[in-house]
Amino acid sequence: MIRLLLISLLLPFSIFSQSSYNLSLLGTYDNYNTEGNDIWGWVAPDGSEYALVGLNDGFSVVNVTNPSNPTEEFFINDLNSTWRDVKTFGNYAYVTTEADAGLLIVDLSDMTGNTYYHRTVFNSPNGPSTEFTAAHNIYMDENGVAYIFGASSNAGGSPSDGVIFLDVVTDPINPIFLGEWSDFYVHDGMARGDTMYVGCIYEGDMYVVDVSDKTNPQNLGNVTTPSAFTHNAWVSDNGDFVFTTDEQSDAYIGSYDISDLNNIQEVDRIQSNPGSNSIPHNTHVDGNFIITSYYRDGTVVHDITNPNNLI
């Protein structure tokens, strides 16, 4: 059974005390009989709030507008997989999985859950197409470009297992293939503007890539992360720093000054609970804080006001 936990972050004054547990549980939804693998938030045009939940056996949408009484709106059954990832653009959710189900596209304006599509082939009006039946992860940038990480195919194709770029603005239910970055396998990453930050887990490096031309992305710089098993990367709001996780026991969150991409410098690193074998999974920037999910330590918040001194 998996529980969807709704947590309020109460940060202003007690964040500096490691003995202060300043997260308040607002509610749970625990009517699942399977394990979960991802969660993402979506706000409807009317202001209603939803948790989009990846499960081993499918995809669930839970209304959390009243966090003390979350209710499931609908569930879409899909091929079983330990891995599923969810991102949104407009009124659509885009869901990847490693179960060879293709890209699941869900119209969230229909809360009956009856309007959804599976796509495996992605065409380009001016060039080649690509296809994939599975992918490890997805990120959606502010311009409606979906970044597909770690793709593969059981249909005879050979998609890039680095990053595939898809336009979801022109036709949300038939994304258009824009290009790809194929230098290394990518486990997870994010992008802002014309710059992409990716975790090349088997290389042990975080790469920064210029994606202004999706047909010809250019490497700008890279750095080896503390445990050389780079899982994810997230850029600071001012674009001068990147924070990374390594999916290893007792690994660190790394903090990097990227103001000179020819000379990326690690400026600090921090563990949540040294010696406990806890594994950091994903970290996300929220203003002056990074919020990180851990295998054993749950949710941990660090102050990054001074990226040279993580607290």
Side-chain angles (χ1 to χ4, degrees):
M1 175 182 291
I2 180 160
R3 289 189 171 188
L4 166 62
L5 304 180
L6 308 176
I7 299 172
S8 174
L9 304 179
L10 308 176
L11 300 173
F13 301 107
S14 54
I15 190 68
F16 301 101
S17 172
Q18 291 190 7
S19 62
S20 296
Y21 296 95
N22 41 30
L23 306 182
S24 296
L25 178 65
L26 300 179
T28 65
Y29 182 81
D30 57 6
N31 291 334
Y32 298 131
N33 292 314
T34 186
E35 293 183 337
N37 38 44
D38 191 54
I39 189 168
W40 196 250
W42 180 70
V43 181
D46 67 359
S48 300
E49 298 182 30
Y50 298 88
L52 311 182
V53 187
L55 302 167
N56 279 15
D57 59 0
F59 172 67
S60 172
V61 172
V62 179
N63 191 321
V64 297
T65 307
N66 178 4
S68 65
N69 184 34
T71 57
E72 186 178 55
E73 295 285 351
F74 65 85
F75 168 78
I76 297 173
N77 185 63
D78 210 347
L79 297 181
N80 196 276
S81 177
T82 304
W83 294 279
R84 217 173 293 276
D85 198 62
V86 186
K87 297 296 183 293
T88 61
F89 193 80
N91 291 335
Y92 291 88
Y94 297 84
V95 187
T96 55
T97 176
E98 291 197 2
D100 289 309
L103 179 66
L104 173 64
I105 303 172
V106 183
D107 186 346
L108 297 174
S109 64
D110 177 9
M111 278 294 157
T112 69
N114 291 322
T115 308
Y116 62 89
Y117 315 85
H118 284 91
R119 297 287 186 255
T120 59
V121 177
F122 306 90
N123 295 309
S124 171
N126 302 312
S129 63
T130 192
E131 61 85 24
F132 61 87
T133 59
H136 185 73
N137 226 309
I138 182 173
Y139 179 79
M140 191 73 66
D141 75 10
E142 69 275 16
N143 299 311
V145 176
Y147 297 72
I148 306 296
F149 303 119
S152 61
S153 175
N154 69 351
S158 183
S160 171
D161 65 359
V163 188
I164 294 170
F165 311 120
L166 300 177
D167 165 21
V168 305
V169 175
T170 303
D171 186 347
I173 64 174
N174 290 291
I176 295 170
F177 175 57
L178 300 175
E180 60 190 29
W181 184 79
S182 302
D183 287 24
F184 305 105
Y185 171 83
V186 172
H187 202 63
D188 200 358
M190 61 92 67
R192 183 182 301 153
D194 291 328
T195 309
M196 179 177 71
Y197 310 85
V198 290
C200 300
I201 194 166
Y202 301 127
E203 301 301 313
D205 278 17
M206 184 275 294
Y207 271 79
V208 182
V209 184
D210 180 348
V211 293
S212 54
D213 181 356
K214 301 295 189 296
T215 67
N216 187 31
Q218 298 292 314
N219 295 340
L220 298 174
N222 63 285
V223 65
T224 300
T225 53
S227 295
F229 204 66
T230 319
H231 182 270
N232 97 304
W234 212 271
V235 69
S236 63
D237 287 352
N238 64 9
D240 290 336
F241 296 88
V242 165
F243 305 92
T244 65
T245 56
D246 288 304
E247 196 176 9
Q248 297 276 57
S249 296
D250 273 334
Y252 292 83
I253 295 171
S255 175
Y256 303 89
D257 184 338
I258 61 167
S259 56
D260 180 1
L261 288 169
N262 292 313
N263 186 29
I264 298 174
Q265 295 290 317
E266 179 184 332
V267 293
D268 200 14
R269 60 174 67 179
I270 196 167
Q271 295 168 296
S272 67
N273 192 359
S276 70
N277 290 323
S278 184
I279 302 171
H281 194 240
N282 280 323
T283 194
H284 295 79
V285 172
D286 183 13
N288 289 329
F289 302 96
I290 49 173
I291 302 172
T292 309
S293 57
Y294 283 81
Y295 277 66
R296 292 183 176 87
D297 289 351
T299 302
V300 180
V301 181
H302 290 93
D303 188 334
I304 58 168
T305 303
N306 178 3
N308 297 276
N309 183 30
L310 306 181
I311 298 172

